[in-house]
Amino acid sequence: MAPQEYSLRIQKGITGGFAPPTPSLIATITRPKNSDSLNIAASKRPDGTPELQSFAPKTLGSDSSTKSAETLIDELHGILKELPTEQPPGSEDIYKLDTSIFWGSDDLQWYNGGPSGVSGQPGSSSVQPTAEQKAQFKRAVEIVDALVDEAK
C-alpha cells in the first residue's frame, strides 16, 4: 500500500553534457495529507519547440479513476523501493531512458538523475542495474505516463 501522503515527479530529457538537459516533459503528482484526491500538473515540449507548455492542473477525486490511479501508485512504490540509483547521484543515466523519477514520502526518498540532469558519461556510476531492474524502471515510467495521461 502506498503511503498516505507523497510527491512524485518525472522528467523526460535528463541527459546533458556541456549544456544542461532540455526536458521534453516535467510532471508532478501529489497526494496531500488527509486527502483522497491526486493533484496532477504537467508541462510538455512538443517536438521542434523551444519551451515547455503547461496543461491545466487536474485533480482526481475519489472515483473509480482515482482508485485505479492508487493501484498504479502502489505498484510504482513497490518497484521504486527495490531499484538502485546511480552513485554518485547525477553521474550517469543508468537506466538508459533519458528519464528521471523522484518519489518523496515518509517511508521512501528515491530519485535517479541529479537535480541538473546527468552527465551522460557511460560507466561513471559505480552502480549498474541488471536487465530485470532496467525492465522494472521501464515499467515505473509506463505507470507514471499512464497517470500523467489522466491530466490531459
Side-chain angles (χ1 to χ4, degrees):
M1 183 88 176
Q4 175 78 9
E5 174 182 13
Y6 55 84
S7 179
L8 167 63
R9 181 181 186 270
I10 189 169
Q11 178 175 324
K12 294 188 178 187
I14 63 168
T15 305
F18 293 113
T22 304
S24 60
L25 173 78
I26 297 176
T28 59
I29 301 170
T30 57
R31 180 172 184 180
K33 190 173 186 172
N34 300 322
S35 174
D36 290 334
S37 299
L38 298 179
N39 300 321
I40 302 172
S43 297
K44 188 173 184 174
R45 183 177 52 83
D47 289 340
T49 61
E51 296 178 11
L52 291 167
Q53 299 174 354
S54 296
F55 296 99
K58 183 173 183 180
T59 300
L60 295 177
S62 57
D63 58 13
S64 62
S65 65
T66 303
K67 289 179 179 61
S68 168
E70 282 299 323
T71 300
L72 289 173
I73 290 288
D74 288 345
E75 181 182 354
L76 176 65
H77 183 257
I79 289 170
L80 295 179
K81 283 172 60 173
E82 303 300 321
L83 290 180
T85 59
E86 74 279 358
Q87 294 301 319
S91 59
E92 180 184 356
D93 179 12
I94 62 173
Y95 293 105
K96 310 294 187 230
L97 293 178
D98 199 22
T99 301
S100 70
I101 294 176
F102 165 83
W103 174 282
S105 63
D106 287 342
D107 71 332
L108 179 64
Q109 295 290 319
W110 191 98
Y111 70 93
N112 67 309
S116 302
V118 296
S119 67
Q121 298 297 320
S124 56
S125 171
S126 64
V127 174
Q128 296 295 321
T130 65
E132 180 180 327
Q133 289 169 327
K134 286 181 180 181
Q136 286 296 303
F137 184 76
K138 183 177 180 182
R139 174 63 185 145
V141 171
E142 289 169 355
I143 290 169
V144 179
D145 285 344
L147 293 167
V148 170
D149 284 346
E150 290 288 327
K152 293 180 183 175

